[in-house]
Amino acid sequence: MNYKTNDSINVLFASDDNFAPYLGVAIYSFLKNNHQDFRKINIHILAKRISKENKTILEEIASPFGENNLIFIEDEGISKILGKKIQANRALSSFSRLFAASFLDETIEKVLYLDADSLILGSFKELWETNIENYYVAGVLDVGPDYVKTAVGLSKDVNYINAGVLLINLKKWRNEDVESKFIDFLEKNNMQVYNNDQGIINATLNDSILIVDPKFNLMSPFLEKDYDDVIKWNGLKNYYDKETIENAIKNPVFLHFVHFINGRPWFKDTKHPCKDLYLKYASETQYKNDVVVEDYRGLKYKLFFSLTNFLPYKLVCLIYRPYRDFFIKYF
């Protein structure tokens, strides 16, 4: 595997038809800020019933950015591969990314997986050229509290990455039959794993994960709250220092819009700090009239985050966190 002379990149997204507009914005922002660094960009999409119309739009979004390919991996192909490996109704949506080594051509030795609830503002060249020959995967530490680790049998003190950005060493996955480890873990847990593929990756590969700079997966909590608040009230241990996070905020490559106080930047009445920036990128795509929607979060989230409108965040966390942890862990 040659990490120094890459002039092409393989990227992997996953989406269904409903999320196609946000996938379109993510692809557009990726190409706009990365096309100059790669001779060829191959974007592979795990496509869950994406319509012909949306596929055409996605191809139109990609077409102005030089030599690149959009490769749709269809439902039928995914189901066929997964059907031979695991039997679960949830497999397609929850676990399909675990089997990227089977979906993608065996000549592809590594792939950059990106979540579509995102905006890409910088180049992934540095990460793409990172040597992961001795690692299964590279990623950014998650912002979740301790129970996300203990829920999958890990110690509170180990590293746990967020699966929104993963640089995957497909060659090592194939050579060491990592998929069998995933299947064994799924079967031992009756196909119910907290955080789905993220939990599985951390639980099974934890001894060989490379932790990378948070600029490659900067999550909403650090965009909406101060560093000290996020660290203290999420109970984060052995995390990035304040200077590293502040640098990531100043120079982000990947903004990851995980649910937090203000939800997604495309919610109609959101106060998300990246709302204007997101809508600016969206306005440059064919989906400019399709991205804004009502806040669709459940009552649990709305209750918690509505309290932050008139109570200090620290106080809300102090009151709510024990209940949140209990309900998320046991329900």
Side-chain angles (χ1 to χ4, degrees):
M1 188 183 298
N2 191 332
Y3 292 95
K4 296 183 179 180
T5 60
N6 292 297
D7 61 353
S8 64
I9 183 172
N10 284 287
V11 182
L12 178 65
F13 286 97
S15 179
D16 60 16
D17 202 54
N18 292 328
F19 214 73
Y22 312 103
L23 171 64
V25 176
I27 289 174
Y28 172 77
S29 64
F30 177 86
L31 291 171
K32 183 174 183 178
N33 293 299
N34 282 268
H35 77 278
Q36 70 279 2
D37 289 328
F38 300 98
R39 177 184 60 80
K40 186 175 183 180
I41 296 175
N42 299 310
I43 297 179
H44 308 263
I45 300 170
L46 296 176
K48 185 179 181 183
R49 294 187 293 276
I50 294 182
S51 68
K52 184 177 180 179
E53 178 184 2
N54 275 321
K55 288 177 183 176
T56 299
I57 294 174
L58 293 170
E59 289 169 344
E60 290 174 354
I61 287 173
S63 63
F65 293 99
E67 186 181 356
N68 55 72
N69 293 315
L70 257 62
I71 302 126
F72 295 95
I73 304 170
E74 306 292 345
D75 284 359
E76 296 78 11
I78 297 171
S79 299
K80 185 176 181 180
I81 290 173
L82 288 177
K84 294 179 179 178
K85 297 176 180 294
I86 55 176
Q87 297 296 328
N89 292 332
R90 304 174 59 207
L92 188 63
S93 60
S94 302
F95 306 129
S96 58
R97 286 166 285 187
L98 299 174
F99 301 94
S102 292
F103 300 140
L104 301 178
D105 190 283
E106 62 182 15
T107 61
I108 299 174
E109 296 186 346
K110 62 176 177 176
V111 68
L112 178 65
Y113 170 78
L114 303 175
D115 267 357
D117 57 342
S118 61
L119 199 61
I120 294 90
L121 301 180
S123 174
F124 273 104
K125 184 176 177 62
E126 177 188 338
L127 179 60
W128 182 251
E129 293 182 347
T130 299
N131 189 332
I132 58 167
E133 192 165 7
N134 296 318
Y135 297 92
Y136 290 118
V137 66
V140 171
L141 293 174
D142 191 42
V143 293
D146 288 340
Y147 61 74
V148 302
K149 303 176 184 179
T150 57
V152 293
L154 293 172
S155 164
K156 296 179 180 180
D157 298 322
V158 303
N159 290 329
Y160 182 100
I161 61 172
N162 180 274
V165 176
L166 299 171
L167 182 60
I168 301 173
N169 185 342
L170 295 175
K171 182 178 181 180
K172 188 174 178 69
W173 281 29
R174 294 187 183 106
N175 289 344
E176 301 185 21
D177 194 15
V178 166
E179 290 183 1
S180 292
K181 296 181 181 180
F182 296 154
I183 294 168
D184 288 345
F185 190 82
L186 276 165
E187 291 177 344
K188 288 177 182 177
N189 288 274
N190 298 314
M191 310 303 294
Q192 301 291 325
V193 178
Y194 190 79
N195 275 346
N196 299 319
D197 58 338
Q198 178 172 295
I200 297 166
I201 287 171
N202 279 282
T204 57
L205 307 181
N206 197 267
D207 60 343
S208 189
I209 295 176
L210 178 65
I211 305 303
V212 298
D213 195 294
K215 69 182 179 181
F216 295 115
N217 187 357
L218 184 62
M219 289 164 263
S220 287
F222 290 111
L223 299 170
E224 300 184 50
K225 284 294 175 184
D226 292 337
Y227 173 87
D228 292 336
D229 285 347
V230 176
I231 295 298
K232 182 174 182 179
W233 299 104
N234 281 354
L236 301 179
K237 301 174 183 177
N238 304 318
Y239 205 71
Y240 303 101
D241 59 35
K242 189 171 185 178
E243 182 180 359
T244 301
I245 293 295
E246 289 179 344
N247 182 66
I249 293 171
K250 292 176 182 177
N251 303 286
V253 173
F254 184 93
L255 298 181
H256 191 186
F257 304 123
V258 298
H259 281 304
F260 197 54
I261 293 173
N262 292 299
R264 315 281 199 177
W266 53 83
F267 286 168
K268 184 177 180 180
D269 298 317
T270 186
K271 296 179 181 179
H272 196 289
C274 294
K275 177 179 180 178
D276 291 343
L277 180 62
Y278 188 87
L279 294 181
K280 178 181 181 297
Y281 270 84
S283 72
E284 298 171 6
T285 77
Q286 289 84 338
Y287 287 117
K288 59 186 177 183
N289 297 320
D290 302 312
V291 295
V292 177
V293 295
E294 297 290 340
D295 187 340
Y296 48 70
R297 289 176 294 177
L299 179 61
K300 176 180 64 179
Y301 287 99
K302 290 181 179 179
L303 174 62
F304 170 59
F305 294 128
S306 65
L307 292 175
T308 64
N309 291 326
F310 54 89
L311 292 176
Y313 177 65
K314 292 181 181 180
L315 179 59
V316 174
C317 287
L318 187 63
I319 297 170
Y320 186 78
R321 184 177 173 185
Y323 300 99
R324 178 200 65 176
D325 291 1
F326 176 81
F327 280 104
I328 290 178
K329 183 173 181 181
Y330 294 104
F331 295 93

